[in-house]
Amino acid sequence: MKHMVTESSELLDASDVEIEEALQHADPIVLRGLLFQLTGDEELRDIELGHHLISGYLDVYQVAKPEDAAMIRGKAAAFLKQYRDAGAGPIDIGPRERLLESLSLTAGVPVTPTELPMWLETLGIDPWARGLSWSGDAAPEAAADFSVIVIGAGMGGLNAALHLKNAGVSFRVLEKGDNVGGTWRDNRYPGARLDSPSRLYTHVFGVGYPYPNLYTPGETNQGYLEWIADEFDLRGSVELHSEVTSLAWDDATSEWVVSVTQNGRPQVLRANAVVSAVGFLSQPSIPRIPGLEDFAGDAFHTARWPEGYSLQGKRVAVIGTGCTGYQMIPEIAREAAHLSIFQRTPNWLFEAPGYLKPFPEQVKWLDRNFPFLTNFERFQLAFLQRADMTGRRLKRDAGYQDEHAVSETNRITRDNLIASLERKLAGHPDLIEKMTPTAPPMAARPVLFDPEYSVLDVLLHDDVSLVSEGIERVRENGIETKDGVLHELDTIVLATGFRANDYLWPMEVRGRGGITLEEAWSKDGARAYLGSLVPGFPNLFMIYGPNTNLTVGFQILDMIELTARFALENIGALIEQGKRSVEVTEDAYWRYNDEIDRQEPDMIYTDQRARNYYINKHGRSSSNNPLDTRVLWNWLRDPAGRLKSDAPVSLAPELADAYRVLEPRHGADLVVR
Ligand code: NAP
C-alpha cells in the first residue's frame, strides 16, 4: 500500500521551518510508532512513558520527558525533509513484520499478537480490507448475474455498494431521499456534529479523508459521504426518491421481490439478495402530546429541520434533552429571542475540550503531508477504546455497593461529571439538581460538551429557561406545563429522538412462508444473528441491525463495515459455488441471542433508573451489544471459510470459550442451498 493522500506540491513547497513548526502539533507517541515503522530507528524503542487514567477507564500513555518528545519530533522532521527532498513520491509502509512492534510503540503497551489482524484493519493501510476477496484473482463471471439491492445510501449503504462494485457484483442502491448521506443528510439542525472522534468516523478506505475538526460538524460528515459517492463513482448506481415499501421472499426462485415507490410510481423489482442499510436512528419519534397538532406556530422534528429556517426574534421551545437537544440548544440560544428547554430526564454531560474548535492548520497540514500519520492516529484512538477498556466503562461490578454507581470506574466517572456540573453551574444549586441524572453515567448515551460554550453556559442566560415541570398539553400559542403555567411560543422543536427499536420499519418484510419480521420479533423485539441474519429470511443482510450499537470495543462504523463484509463474504461464496441462498438456523440464532441475553444483565444500560431507547418495550436491549468485540470480529470474519489467511481464528485464550458458542460457517450455523 502506497501513501495516497499527499498533495505532493504542498510538501515540496514547505520550508524546513514550516515542517518543524507543524510537528510541534503532532503527538510524539504517535510519531514514535510511525517513525519506527518507516525507519526501524532503534532509538525509538526505549522511551520513558507517562500514564494517565482518564475517567477511571481510559489508559492513556504519553512520552514522559520533554527532551524525548523533542528528539522524536526532530527525527520526524528529518524524515519529512528527506522525503520532501526525494520528491515526496509514493512510499511504502515498510516491513509488515515490524507492524506489531510499531503499533505497540504508539499504543504504549504491547499489542496482543493474536489481535494484530484486527488492529491492522483499523490501521487502514489496506483500504479494501473490509471488502470482498474472491478465491481466484478475478471476479467469477457469475458475479455479474447475481443481483443485490442495497436499501439506503448512508454510511452503511454506500460502503456496501462500493464493495459490491469493487467485487464486480451486480447491484443497485435504492434511496428514499433526494441525496446520499443518510443521517447527515437528514439531521441539519443547528449544531449537528459528531460526538465521537472524526478520525474514527471514516471507513477504512477513507482514513486519509481530510477531517478539519476533532469532532466534525454535520455538513462536513455529509461532505465525506458525498466524497465517497463521487470519488468512487457511485452516484450512477444510487436511485434517489426510491422508497422500498415491502420485501417478500419468493421461495420458488430464491429471490427477493422488492416493492418500491420511485418518484411517486410503484415498481416491483427482483434481486438475489438484499442488503438493508436503512439506518438505526432514521425514523423520527413524534411524541403524542395532546394539542400538538393545534399549535399555531411552527413545530418540527430535529431530523426535519426546514432549510434556511430562521429563529431570529422567536420564542422557541426545545422538547427533549438527549444528544440532539443538548447539542442544538447552545446554537438556538445564539439566535432565538427566548428559549425554553423542556427537560423530562437530564443526561450526563461529558467535558470534551476542543469539541467545537477546528484543528490548527498545522494538524491538517500534517494529516495531508506526513505519510501514514492519519493511519497511526486512527489506530491510537481506536486502541484506547479497546474491549478491555470499554468493558470497564460499560459493565457493572457485581460486588460493588454504591447508591449512585455500579463500579469503581463508574463512580470515578460520576464524581468527575458532578465536579464539572458544579464548576459550570457554581452558585446555582437548583440548576445543578435539575441537571443531575439519577441513573449512573453510561446507562444512557453520554453527551459531550465544549467547556468553552455549551448548554451549561446557556442555562445561565436571562433569555433561557429550563422547564422541568412536565408538559400538560400544547395550546395554540404555547405549551402548558403541569403546574398550570403557559409558556408562550412561536416555534416548537421536537428533539424527541427516533424509533430506534422498530428495525426496518415501516417496510413490510415477509420471509419464507409469508412470515413477517414483525411476527418473528413479536416475543421480545428485534434480534438477529450477528446483527445481520434472521431465520426464515434468506439472503437478507442487515447493516446496523439489532444489537450492533454500543459494542464493547468497537465504533459503530466498525460494526457497519464488519457486518457488510459478512454479507459480502456470504454473497461471494454463493456466487463462487453456484448456490442460491444462505440462511441462519433457528438454533444458531438463539445460541447467539441467548449469549447476548446471558451477558446483558452485566451492562450498565440495563440499570432500572435509566429509561431510554437502549431498552425496548419488552425490557431488553434490541440495540446494544454486551459481547466482547474481539469475539464478534472473529465470528463475522469468514462465514464461508474463504479467507486465504493462515490464521483463520486469532483469539486470546481467555476468549476462546465464548468464541465456541457459535459456528458461524456455511454448513454449520449457516445453511446454504
Ligand atoms: P433521544 O436520546 O432518544 O432523546 C429524546 C429526548 O426526547 C429525551 O430527552 C426524551 O426524554 C425526550 N422526549 C421524548 N418524548 C418526550 C415527550 N413526550 N415529552 C417530553 N420529552 C420527550 O434522542 P436524540 O437526542 O435525538 O438522540 C438519539 C441518538 O442519536 C443519540 O443517543 C445518539 O446515538 C445519536 N445522536 C448522535 C449525535 C452525534 O453527535 N453523533 C447527535 C445527536 C444524536 P426522556 O429521556 O425522559 O424519555
Side-chain angles (χ1 to χ4, degrees), residues 176-477:
K176 69 176 162 41
D178 61 359
N179 195 2
V180 302
T183 199
W184 298 106
R185 178 203 57 215
D186 290 345
N187 283 279
R188 299 278 181 153
Y189 59 84
R193 177 179 288 273
L194 269 183
D195 59 4
S196 55
S198 333
R199 294 196 192 286
L200 298 178
Y201 202 71
T202 51
H203 305 82
V204 291
F205 57 78
V207 176
Y209 187 78
Y211 267 127
N213 303 62
L214 191 55
Y215 300 94
T216 12
E219 61 268 23
T220 310
N221 300 317
Q222 174 65 15
Y224 169 66
L225 290 155
E226 299 210 19
W227 170 80
I228 295 173
D230 294 330
E231 176 76 13
F232 302 106
D233 203 14
L234 291 171
R235 294 253 189 211
S237 311
V238 179
E239 297 166 49
L240 301 173
H241 305 289
S242 300
E243 178 159 13
V244 174
T245 50
S246 73
L247 300 171
W249 176 251
D250 180 348
D251 221 15
T253 61
S254 293
E255 285 174 325
W256 281 101
V257 180
V258 180
S259 301
V260 53
T261 305
Q262 292 199 291
N263 295 303
R265 288 183 37 230
Q267 311 267 2
V268 178
L269 311 173
R270 283 182 169 261
N272 297 107
V274 169
V275 175
S276 167
V278 296
F280 162 57
L281 300 164
S282 56
Q283 298 289 344
S285 167
I286 308 294
R288 285 198 211 105
I289 302 175
L292 186 56
E293 58 293 345
D294 301 327
F295 181 59
D298 302 314
F300 46 84
H301 188 271
T302 47
R304 299 289 180 267
W305 191 274
E307 207 177 326
Y309 190 81
S310 169
L311 299 166
Q312 209 76 49
K314 297 198 169 109
R315 296 161 302 174
V316 180
V318 169
I319 301 181
T321 50
C323 287
T324 304
Y326 282 156
Q327 196 175 53
M328 182 178 58
I329 283 164
E331 295 310 312
I332 294 191
R334 287 184 204 271
E335 228 190 302
H338 189 273
L339 169 62
S340 305
I341 303 165
F342 289 82
Q343 171 165 283
R344 201 162 61 178
T345 313
N347 275 296
W348 287 111
L349 286 151
F350 290 66
E351 203 167 292
Y355 182 58
L356 294 174
K357 281 211 180 82
F359 281 134
E361 285 306 315
Q362 293 92 335
V363 169
K364 293 189 272 180
W365 187 90
L366 279 176
D367 281 357
R368 291 195 300 273
N369 290 292
F370 203 115
F372 303 109
L373 181 60
T374 52
N375 302 78
F376 271 68
E377 283 166 332
R378 173 187 163 105
F379 160 74
Q380 185 207 31
L381 276 176
F383 191 78
L384 275 180
Q385 303 284 348
R386 61 194 180 278
D388 26 4
M389 296 298 122
T390 43
R392 272 198 263 159
R393 186 186 203 198
L394 293 173
K395 290 187 179 182
R396 63 172 92 239
D397 175 347
Y400 193 79
Q401 294 294 329
D402 186 298
E403 192 190 343
H404 300 296
V406 298
S407 69
E408 183 59 11
T409 303
N410 193 236
R411 186 199 52 80
I412 295 170
T413 304
R414 189 177 188 279
D415 288 352
N416 289 342
L417 298 175
I418 293 276
S420 83
L421 271 183
E422 287 174 347
R423 233 178 0 255
K424 294 296 294 186
L425 300 175
H428 298 272
D430 53 327
L431 284 178
I432 294 173
E433 195 189 328
K434 283 182 179 179
M435 292 300 288
T436 303
T438 49
M442 302 309 295
R445 163 89 176 210
V447 184
L448 301 191
F449 77 97
D450 192 311
E452 289 182 25
Y453 182 65
S454 76
V455 60
L456 295 176
D457 299 288
V458 159
L459 287 176
L460 303 176
H461 293 184
D462 291 341
D463 52 2
V464 173
S465 356
L466 179 62
V467 186
S468 307
E469 280 70 24
I471 296 172
E472 178 66 29
R473 60 169 297 118
V474 176
R475 300 217 171 263
E476 204 175 60
N477 57 343

